[in-house]
Amino acid sequence: MNLVEVKGVGKSFRGLHALSDVDFAVAEGEILGVIGPNGAGKTTLFNVVSGALRPDTGRVHLAGADVTGRSPDRIARAGMVRTFQLMRPFSSMTVLENVSLAAQHHRFGAKELRKHSLDVVERVGLGPWAHRAAPDLPTAGLKRLELARTLAMRPKVLLLDEVLAGLVPAEREPVLDLLATLREQEGVTLVFIEHIMAAVMRLADRVLVLDQGRVLAVGSPEEVTSDPRVIDAYLGEEPTRAEA
Ligand SMILES: Nc1ncnc2c1ncn2[C@@H]1O[C@H](COP(=O)(O)OP(=O)(O)O)[C@@H](O)[C@H]1O
Ligand SMILES: [Mg+2]
């Protein structure tokens, strides 16, 4: 079954076609990677799918329901949650409080809320930081907090916008392991925008390639990375990406 279906989505900003006629589907439990050059429209696609932006054309379906134009909050309640590239923790709060705030979405009782929030904080490796002020976290910690914030909402579909950016290789591994575990143990469906091709190759079942707001290719990681159009538009421009 397709959990997410995006049909004919277009979005322009004052004449700039950030997205044109974008079609794709994500099966339940699938991991879809999204790649493409800077400015290709990847983040705009997440903005549209998660409800932050209304598309000019096209529809977004989640579990068969048309969620086009619904607020991010309503879409999150329906099970689809996205991470932000730049995380903005509530600065006067601790790491645990930030996560609890996101978890409140589930209307847990106080005890359950605390337990669930602590579980999530530990799961992303922030246990030792639970009671520290969120802004004191280093970059890698802020990235983990952003992931924790979304996990606290128990998503069915998680949209990840460059969660590995700014992390050194040793910090990436545990995040990749966590994402793989989320799918394997909880069946969470993942759509992840990522520049680090090694991560895409390792995690993705299929890869969607965007270029200038259009879908350039969709296929297995092997198919898209050997597609001459993809090499031309993206992989060829900076060969180290393919090796990184
Ligand atoms: N809110 C906005 N207002 C105007 N232009 C935007 C806005 N958001 C994105 N864009 C433009 O849309 C294009 C796609 O941007 P984006 O989706 O951020 O690309 P990517 O995430 O693939 O790097 C870029 O040219 C960008 O400048
Ligand atoms: Mg982006």
Side-chain angles (χ1 to χ4, degrees):
M1 184 194 123
N2 284 333
L3 198 50
V4 182
E5 280 178 352
V6 172
K7 293 178 188 161
V9 160
K11 179 74 194 173
S12 296
F13 299 108
R14 291 199 213 95
L16 171 97
H17 296 289
L19 295 173
S20 305
D21 205 21
V22 171
D23 277 312
F24 67 94
V26 193
E28 188 162 12
E30 188 177 25
I31 302 186
L32 180 74
V34 179
I35 64 171
N38 283 330
K42 304 180 297 294
T43 297
T44 302
L45 180 62
F46 272 17
N47 284 335
V48 166
V49 171
S50 65
L53 282 178
R54 185 183 281 273
D56 302 330
T57 63
R59 312 305 301 174
V60 177
H61 287 87
L62 173 62
D66 189 338
V67 297
T68 320
R70 280 201 204 166
S71 69
D73 190 54
R74 284 189 68 199
I75 291 178
R77 280 175 200 285
M80 183 153 63
V81 177
R82 60 89 63 89
T83 67
F84 286 93
Q85 249 172 309
L86 300 170
M87 46 275 142
R88 299 164 278 193
F90 287 97
S91 55
S92 56
M93 294 184 187
T94 66
V95 165
L96 183 62
E97 286 164 347
N98 266 274
V99 173
S100 300
L101 198 65
Q104 271 172 13
H105 167 98
H106 278 289
R107 308 186 199 285
F108 289 121
K111 245 189 179 163
E112 217 188 339
L113 175 69
R114 188 176 166 83
K115 181 179 180 305
H116 172 62
S117 306
L118 263 174
D119 280 353
V120 170
V121 166
E122 301 219 328
R123 190 149 193 203
V124 300
L126 285 178
W129 293 80
H131 303 291
R132 305 272 298 268
D136 293 347
L137 289 173
T139 304
L142 286 170
K143 292 287 218 185
R144 283 162 187 259
L145 176 57
E146 176 60 3
L147 195 55
R149 188 187 64 75
T150 58
L151 290 182
M153 297 191 226
R154 294 194 170 156
K156 291 194 194 81
V157 186
L158 190 50
L159 308 172
L160 303 151
D161 197 348
E162 300 199 26
V163 284
L164 301 180
L167 304 188
V168 301
E171 293 167 335
R172 292 174 198 158
E173 286 306 310
V175 175
L176 287 171
D177 289 343
L178 174 62
L179 296 179
T181 305
L182 281 176
R183 188 262 290 271
E184 268 144 43
Q185 293 182 1
E186 288 162 46
V188 179
T189 302
L190 303 174
V191 184
F192 74 110
I193 296 173
E194 192 47 72
H195 277 298
I196 296 163
M197 283 308 292
V200 176
M201 299 305 282
R202 168 162 155 204
L203 211 55
D205 301 314
R206 285 188 309 141
V207 179
L208 175 82
V209 188
L210 280 183
D211 183 38
Q212 298 181 41
R214 291 182 179 277
V215 176
L216 185 66
V218 194
S220 70
E222 294 72 24
E223 279 163 0
V224 299
T225 51
S226 59
D227 184 329
R229 293 169 310 156
V230 177
I231 294 168
D232 240 27
Y234 179 57
L235 299 173
E237 74 178 22
E238 198 180 307
T240 51
R241 269 193 190 145
E243 294 148 23

